[in-house]
Amino acid sequence: MNDIFTLSATDLGALLCSRVCHDIISPVGAINNGLELLDEGGADEDAMQLIRASAVNASARLQFARIAFGAAGSAGMQIDTGDAEAVATAFIRNEKPELEWIGTRALLPKNKVKLLLNLLLVANAAIPRGGKLTVRLEDVETEPRFEIRAHGPMVRVPPKFLELHGGRTPEDGIDAHSVQFYYTLLLARETGLAITIRASAEEILLSAAPAQKSGI
């Protein structure tokens, strides 16, 4: 398998910033549209509803990105999986699928929690028409293992994630569209967890576990 982890820290940071900006530009733009409606007069209640909904959306995306992509504290810090569930729930509320979260609340090393949230993003991308995402956490007090099941119509593992998971760099390189997949696999390597993909016509199962226990 080729070593796909060749991005410099500078390039990785820049691409992740681009990804975050892409995620929040739509709700921020909607807030601006709502303010323009207010400036024009009339339809004040509609404008305020647009501003409120878009502000909640932008906040949810930023809170999610803070944990999924950000430093989230000093080296060695742990993150409460309850906080991860809260930001995931708020984030998915603005997406098409519904979310079910199963597992005991615990403090885990930050990179394992970041991996969990990034796997959730991969699973969400696998069901662009909506459906259901089920997150399951097991053995959180000993050897944490994660499982995310994506069920819905037209399920498909994102092709670039499959390429990277197979040790192949996409022909067009790592860009703002594929950097989140790259970062997910980088986190798996850093945490010593192996990602397993199981796909059928109805659902996709993504799991992360210690290499010797890669299935849940």
Side-chain angles (χ1 to χ4, degrees), residues 87-99 120 124 133:
V87 298
T89 300
F91 179 88
I92 294 298
R93 191 174 293 127
N94 297 294
E95 298 291 298
K96 294 179 181 179
E98 62 176 290
L99 175 65
L120 179 63
N124 185 44
L133 295 168

Side-chain angles (χ1 to χ4, degrees), residues 135-201:
V135 177
R136 185 181 299 274
L137 285 66
E138 294 192 356
D139 297 337
V140 291
E141 300 294 343
T142 52
E143 288 186 312
R145 296 184 288 158
F146 311 134
E147 174 187 284
I148 302 179
R149 192 179 302 271
H151 183 89
M154 304 290 289
V155 294
R156 184 189 185 196
V157 181
K160 288 190 177 181
F161 183 71
L162 278 178
E163 282 188 82
L164 289 164
H165 184 264
R168 302 182 301 277
T169 302
E171 289 186 7
D172 51 356
I174 306 298
D175 56 19
H177 298 290
S178 59
V179 69
Q180 190 272 318
F181 303 143
Y182 176 95
Y183 188 57
T184 302
L185 295 169
L186 179 60
L187 286 168
R189 187 179 75 163
E190 293 294 321
T191 56
L193 298 178
I195 294 176
T196 301
I197 304 171
R198 298 174 187 168
S200 70

Side-chain angles (χ1 to χ4, degrees), residues 4 7 17 22 30 37 58 68-69 81 99-100 118 126 135 153 163 167-168 178 182 186 193 210 212:
I4 62 171
L7 279 183
C17 283
H22 176 271
L37 284 175
F69 304 132
T81 58
L99 175 65
E100 180 182 21
N118 275 274
V135 177
E163 282 188 82
R168 302 182 301 277
S178 59
Y182 176 95
L186 179 60
L193 298 178
Q212 69 274 21

Side-chain angles (χ1 to χ4, degrees), residues 81 101-102 108-117 119 134-140 143-149 191 193-196 205-210 213-216:
T81 58
W101 189 285
I102 304 169
L108 296 182
K110 65 179 182 181
N111 279 351
K112 289 187 177 181
V113 177
K114 287 157 73 75
L115 172 60
L116 172 61
L117 292 180
L119 278 175
T134 302
V135 177
R136 185 181 299 274
L137 285 66
E138 294 192 356
D139 297 337
V140 291
E143 288 186 312
R145 296 184 288 158
F146 311 134
E147 174 187 284
I148 302 179
R149 192 179 302 271
T191 56
L193 298 178
I195 294 176
T196 301
L205 180 66
L206 301 175
S207 60
K213 298 179 182 179
S214 58
I216 291 183

